């Protein structure tokens, strides 16, 4: 054997094949050709590798959501939905995939559980981003004498937070001086309900705060100090018949709830639609004063965005931030308004005077609605004789019912006047087709 044959595997294999006969040698030679072809760069280049499918991604900044400010935020229960693209802003469905401006107070969005069926939701901030930013600066300036800081570290230094962290139960003294109307006249029964039903933590069903971490307690306190709207949605859920949209969760400083159109969109509606919404509005006000739990709800302010309408025509309280609560069963404890700190001034003027619990009038909410909303909804909608009756009631109501006529009787009278003016058709899906077969509607 020659020396070069011993150093070449291919040559050696071919030489060995000469002892097998012609057929074996030919097979070996073909095998070598196949192996060589499979390693040939020129042949490999002719086959295009598969191109992976790249899913469009939606860039979320922690700043847009407010996650960079946690735990001085509302919660994180629905963040996964945002990052998994199961909550989308309306303009995400366009080709540009751009997030909406961060300075808006609310956004229209879409929500899904199965990536196939989508439903409309409202995505809102508790205050405008500008107000949030100003409040953040106020915290840093007041507590650490700097323009920027770690909000959580700064707030943890306050006496109120330290008291909250040590507390086993949420008591009236822990919420004294907070600006929320809901906490102006707190009862222990109401505060226990907040702890039991706080939806940003696993449900423990307990009135004690043992299941709340320090982070959870700070988030709850921050939410109550800025805007109690999401807390009201949690503790009085729509599935129990309360007139609020469903709370779906929070992420940073954004709240997600079921979608409603503001009442202002219906000021120009047809007479039968206006009559239907007015009847519902009066029923909501009546339920706020008379309900099974014996809580009396009252508004401190109403405007064209306070109430909203679902796609099925059902009217709800869209913005609960101006709702106060009096506990008729247990009584209330007047908050000590002189006890004020940084949490009393995050979004409101610290010098604003609070109304005494004893000064709240039964007809307060109805008078506000008669002055601000019903004239815009019902004005100029009906035949002359009916319109004069409606206008007369609204004027009488706006004056505060100065005579001896009872509030309940007056509300019932207007409702009876408006009920026949409604229609029974598919536009009012919340009561259709039941209205065909029941005198209730």
């Amino acid at each position: 054997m020659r020396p070069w044959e011993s150093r070449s595997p291919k040559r050696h294999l071919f030489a060995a094949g000469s002892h097998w006969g012609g057929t074996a040698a030919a097979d070996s030679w073909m095998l070598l050709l196949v192996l060589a072809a499979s390693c040939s760069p020129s042949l490999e280049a002719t086959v295009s590798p598969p191109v992976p499918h790249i899913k469009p991604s939606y860039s979320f900044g922690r700043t847009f959501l407010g996650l960079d400010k946690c735990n001085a935020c509302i919660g994180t229960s629905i963040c996964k939905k945002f990052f998994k693209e199961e909550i989308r802003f309306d303009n995400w469905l366009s080709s540009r995939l751009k997030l909406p401006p961060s300075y808006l107070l609310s956004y229209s969005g879409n929500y899904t559980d199965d990536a196939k069926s989508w439903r409309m939701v409202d995505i809102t901030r508790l205050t405008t981003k500008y107000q949030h930013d100003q409040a953040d600066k106020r915290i840093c300036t007041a507590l650490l004498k700097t323009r920027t800081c770690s909000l959580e570290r700064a707030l943890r230094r306050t006496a109120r937070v330290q008291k909250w962290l040590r507390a086993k139960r949420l008591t009236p003294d822990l919420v004294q001086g907070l600006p929320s109307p809901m906490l102006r006249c707190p009862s222990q029964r109401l505060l226990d309900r907040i702890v039991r039903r706080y939806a940003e933590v696993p449900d423990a069903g307990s009135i004690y705060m043992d299941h709340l971490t320090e982070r959870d307690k700070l988030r709850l306190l921050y939410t109550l100090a800025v805007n109690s709207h999401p807390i009201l949605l949690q503790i009085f859920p729509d599935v129990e018949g309360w007139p609020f949209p469903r709370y779906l969760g929070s992420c940073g400083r954004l709240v997600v709830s079921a979608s409603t159109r503001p009442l202002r969109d219906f000021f120009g509606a047809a007479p039968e639609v206006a009559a239907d919404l007015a009847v519902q509005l009066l029923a909501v006000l009546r339920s706020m004063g008379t309900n099974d739990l014996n809580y009396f709800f009252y508004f401190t302010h109403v405007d064209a965005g306070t109430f909203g309408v679902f796609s099925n025509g059902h009217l709800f309280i869209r913005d609960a931030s101006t709702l106060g609560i009096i506990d008729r069963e247990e009584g209330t404890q007047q908050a000590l308004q002189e006890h004020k700190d940084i949490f009393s001034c995050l979004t409101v003027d610290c010098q604003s005077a609070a109304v005494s619990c004893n000064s709240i009038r039964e007809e307060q909410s109805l008078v506000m609605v008669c002055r601000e909303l019903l004239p815009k909804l019902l004005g100029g909608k009906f035949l002359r004789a009916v319109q004069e009756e409606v206008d007369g009631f609204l004027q009488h109501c706006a004056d505060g019912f100065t005579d001896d006529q009872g509030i309940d009787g007056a509300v019932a009278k207007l409702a009876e006047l408006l009920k026949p003016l409604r229609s029974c058709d598919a536009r009012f899906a919340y009561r259709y087709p039941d209205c065909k077969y029941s005198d209730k509607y």
Side-chain angles (χ1 to χ4, degrees):
M1 182 178 292
R2 297 170 186 168
W4 60 266
E5 289 181 316
S6 64
R7 293 192 300 270
S8 174
K10 294 180 182 179
R11 186 75 178 185
H12 180 74
L13 180 61
F14 182 70
S18 64
H19 300 289
W20 303 341
T23 303
D27 290 343
S28 299
W29 177 245
M30 289 300 296
L31 175 62
L32 288 174
L33 289 177
V34 171
L35 291 173
S38 66
C39 299
S40 171
S42 61
L43 290 176
E44 185 179 0
T46 62
V47 181
S48 300
V51 179
H53 175 69
I54 301 175
K55 185 179 180 181
S57 61
Y58 306 95
S59 176
F60 258 124
R62 291 171 60 85
T63 301
F64 181 87
L65 294 171
L67 281 172
D68 58 325
K69 304 299 177 66
C70 284
N71 290 306
C73 62
I74 311 166
T76 57
S77 62
I78 209 166
C79 287
K80 286 184 179 180
K81 285 280 187 182
F82 278 104
F83 290 114
K84 289 169 64 178
E85 300 169 17
E86 293 175 348
I87 295 178
R88 295 186 173 194
F89 294 88
D90 268 358
N91 63 338
W92 275 18
L93 302 179
S94 69
S95 59
R96 291 181 292 176
L97 305 176
K98 291 183 179 180
L99 289 174
S102 61
Y103 58 79
L104 297 177
L105 183 60
S106 63
Y107 311 90
S108 181
N110 297 274
Y111 176 103
T112 185
D113 287 316
D114 55 13
K116 296 178 181 178
S117 58
W118 294 80
R119 52 191 167 118
M120 295 291 294
V121 293
D122 289 334
I123 305 169
T124 58
R125 302 182 188 275
L126 297 191
T127 68
T128 64
K129 190 174 186 303
Y130 173 78
Q131 289 174 306
H132 269 311
D133 292 342
Q134 292 300 109
D136 295 342
K137 291 178 182 177
R138 195 176 300 123
I139 292 171
C140 295
T141 302
L143 301 178
L144 297 181
K145 311 302 180 186
T146 59
R147 296 190 64 184
T148 58
C149 68
S150 167
L151 298 177
E152 180 173 354
R153 189 179 303 121
L155 292 176
R156 279 178 175 269
R157 295 186 179 187
T158 63
R160 189 189 292 267
V161 169
Q162 289 301 313
K163 195 173 181 180
W164 268 66
L165 297 183
R166 294 191 302 267
K168 295 294 184 181
R169 191 176 184 182
L170 184 58
T171 52
D173 60 296
L174 293 176
V175 298
Q176 287 175 356
L178 295 184
S180 168
M182 182 181 74
L183 301 173
R184 190 157 295 161
C185 312
S187 70
Q188 188 59 58
R189 186 170 71 117
L190 176 63
L191 298 180
D192 288 344
R193 190 176 181 88
I194 291 175
V195 173
R196 282 201 319 270
R197 293 178 170 233
Y198 182 42
E200 288 299 310
V201 298
D203 181 17
S206 173
I207 62 174
Y208 297 101
M209 295 195 289
D210 297 334
H211 62 294
L212 271 64
T213 64
E214 291 187 354
R215 173 198 66 191
D216 298 328
K217 289 182 179 180
L218 179 56
R219 290 177 180 177
L220 176 57
L221 171 58
Y222 180 84
T223 306
L224 290 172
V226 175
N227 189 327
S228 59
H229 169 77
I231 302 299
L232 273 160
L233 270 55
Q234 294 169 44
I235 66 177
F236 298 108
D238 67 308
V239 292
E240 295 180 3
W242 297 97
F244 301 107
R246 180 166 301 180
Y247 177 81
L248 299 173
S250 299
C251 184
R253 290 179 170 179
L254 292 180
V255 178
V256 183
S257 59
S259 176
T260 59
R261 289 177 60 191
L263 188 62
R264 69 170 64 90
D265 291 356
F266 297 87
F267 285 165
E272 63 272 16
V273 175
D276 184 86
L277 294 176
V279 169
Q280 290 191 72
L281 183 51
L282 294 174
V284 167
L285 295 180
R286 191 181 305 115
S287 70
M288 290 170 59
T290 306
N291 52 75
D292 293 341
L293 293 185
N294 217 11
Y295 286 115
F296 170 61
F297 297 80
Y298 65 92
F299 282 105
T300 59
H301 171 78
V302 296
D303 59 35
T306 301
F307 297 91
V309 183
F310 285 129
S311 58
N312 65 356
H314 207 171
L315 181 137
F316 274 56
I317 297 174
R318 188 171 188 257
D319 179 4
S321 62
T322 62
L323 268 181
I325 301 177
I326 302 281
D327 190 340
R328 284 175 168 160
E329 181 174 307
E330 188 176 288
T332 58
Q333 177 177 326
Q334 177 71 47
L336 302 178
Q337 296 301 329
E338 64 270 16
H339 176 77
K340 292 187 176 181
D341 58 9
I342 190 66
F343 289 96
S344 308
C345 315
L346 290 180
T347 57
V348 297
D349 180 7
C350 282
Q351 306 304 318
S352 58
V355 178
S356 168
C357 298
N358 298 325
S359 66
I360 305 300
R361 300 170 58 198
E362 293 255 344
E363 65 271 20
Q364 176 169 309
S365 298
L366 183 59
V367 171
M368 288 182 179
V369 167
C370 288
R371 288 175 180 173
E372 304 296 331
L373 301 180
L374 288 180
K376 299 173 183 176
L377 180 64
L378 300 176
K381 291 289 172 67
F382 311 111
L383 296 177
R384 182 174 179 180
V386 175
Q387 190 69 54
E388 287 178 353
E389 279 194 77
V390 171
D391 293 344
F393 171 86
L394 295 181
Q395 184 61 52
H396 184 56
C397 171
D399 291 339
F401 297 98
T402 53
D403 59 20
D404 294 333
Q405 184 179 15
I407 303 302
D408 290 339
V411 170
K413 184 177 179 181
L414 178 61
E416 289 303 315
L417 178 65
L418 294 173
K419 281 181 180 179
L421 304 177
R422 305 178 301 168
S423 63
C424 181
D425 58 61
R427 288 177 297 172
F428 312 102
Y430 79 96
R431 59 182 175 88
Y432 179 83
D434 295 347
C435 53
K436 286 187 174 183
Y437 312 106
S438 174
D439 294 336
K440 173 184 175 183
Y441 298 105

